[in-house]
Amino acid sequence: MKDNHFNDYWRLKVANREAVVGCVLAAINILWWFGFAYGLGSKPPEEYTYVLGFPAWFFWSCIVGYLVMVALVFIVVKFVLKEVPLDDEVDDEEEESA
């Protein structure tokens, strides 16, 4: 019973760390979007610069921000997150006694 509690604790530590990583990614996305959308978009529309036909604030906040976040999420999933078994681990001794 104590080993199972330890395994659950180990899983919770991994889940908490991955939840923090997800929240950090969400915060980066919001800060990126907010910074470019309000930083470049706070001018009058007559003073906007355009990139590929889009206002610069929209291009940098929505289009490039989306691509940056896709790349960051891919990197995090590939190199930071790790697979955790979700099934109950039962020792051979416990199976024989049951």
Side-chain angles (χ1 to χ4, degrees), residues 38-49:
Y38 286 103
L40 295 175
S42 61
K43 298 185 269 185
E46 297 83 27
E47 297 178 17
Y48 285 171
T49 57

Side-chain angles (χ1 to χ4, degrees), residues 14-86:
V14 171
N16 285 336
R17 183 178 67 83
E18 291 179 357
V20 169
V21 169
C23 289
V24 167
L25 284 174
I28 290 171
N29 188 24
I30 291 169
L31 291 173
W32 178 285
W33 179 84
F34 188 83
F36 279 106
Y38 286 103
L40 295 175
S42 61
K43 298 185 269 185
E46 297 83 27
E47 297 178 17
Y48 285 171
T49 57
Y50 293 87
V51 178
L52 298 176
F54 297 103
W57 67 266
F58 181 82
F59 179 78
W60 292 107
S61 66
C62 296
I63 297 172
V64 174
Y66 171 76
L67 297 174
V68 167
M69 288 310 299
V70 167
L72 283 177
V73 168
F74 178 78
I75 290 168
V76 165
V77 168
K78 188 80 171 162
F79 299 109
V80 176
L81 304 182
K82 63 182 189 175
E83 190 171 341
V84 176
L86 298 176

Side-chain angles (χ1 to χ4, degrees), residues 90-97:
V90 179
D91 294 333
D92 292 334
E93 297 172 1
E94 291 178 359
E95 286 180 358
E96 291 174 5
S97 64

